Amino acid sequence: MTELSPIANAIRHYKLNADGGYEEWSKVPCTPAYRMHVPSQGFDVQGAAEVEEVIFGWLSEQGAKQTLLDIVELGENVTCFLKIENADGTEISMTEVFQIVDGAVNEIWAL
């Protein structure tokens, strides 16, 4: 991992401490109406309250544990490569792309 901007470092910190759940994620600067898309689960949520309820509710329900494999920053985008393991031992590879606007997360695609 190369030197990262402050927002990319905040995302990296969260990913390395994802077991802290929404409380840890809430430390990452986000725009007020940021969106998160998770097409594989049919999620398209907006704002902190929906992200906490839908995304973090689902992660908790699944017993999901995230492992950050790499993080790459290119311009106004930060990409995280993850391994996610569910409580039943199922592992999936996931890529998350964060769009950054004025130093804050504006949109996230979890693919």
Side-chain angles (χ1 to χ4, degrees):
M1 294 181 218
T2 60
E3 189 172 326
L4 300 170
S5 69
I7 185 66
N9 269 319
I11 293 168
R12 179 180 176 273
H13 177 81
Y14 162 68
K15 291 298 179 186
L16 293 173
N17 297 283
D19 56 343
Y22 183 79
E23 182 178 331
E24 200 64 42
W25 166 251
S26 68
K27 298 174 185 175
V28 176
C30 295
T31 62
Y34 74 101
R35 295 185 68 153
M36 184 166 189
H37 314 278
V38 187
S40 66
Q41 299 302 314
F43 298 149
D44 184 6
V45 299
Q46 183 172 6
E50 283 189 16
V51 167
E52 181 177 17
E53 178 183 340
V54 175
I55 303 299
F56 283 88
W58 178 77
L59 288 169
S60 178
E61 179 181 295
Q62 297 298 310
K65 302 290 182 197
Q66 299 182 42
T67 302
L68 178 64
L69 303 175
D70 200 3
I71 183 169
V72 178
E73 184 172 25
L74 181 61
E76 295 297 311
N77 297 290
V78 175
T79 303
C80 293
F81 300 95
L82 308 167
K83 177 181 77 171
I84 299 180
E85 184 176 349
N86 292 339
D88 67 3
T90 303
E91 286 187 12
I92 59 171
S93 297
M94 182 172 282
T95 302
E96 290 183 342
V97 180
F98 298 78
Q99 175 197 47
I100 309 303
V101 173
D102 296 329
V105 173
N106 187 58
E107 204 151 358
I108 308 160
W109 292 268
L111 308 169

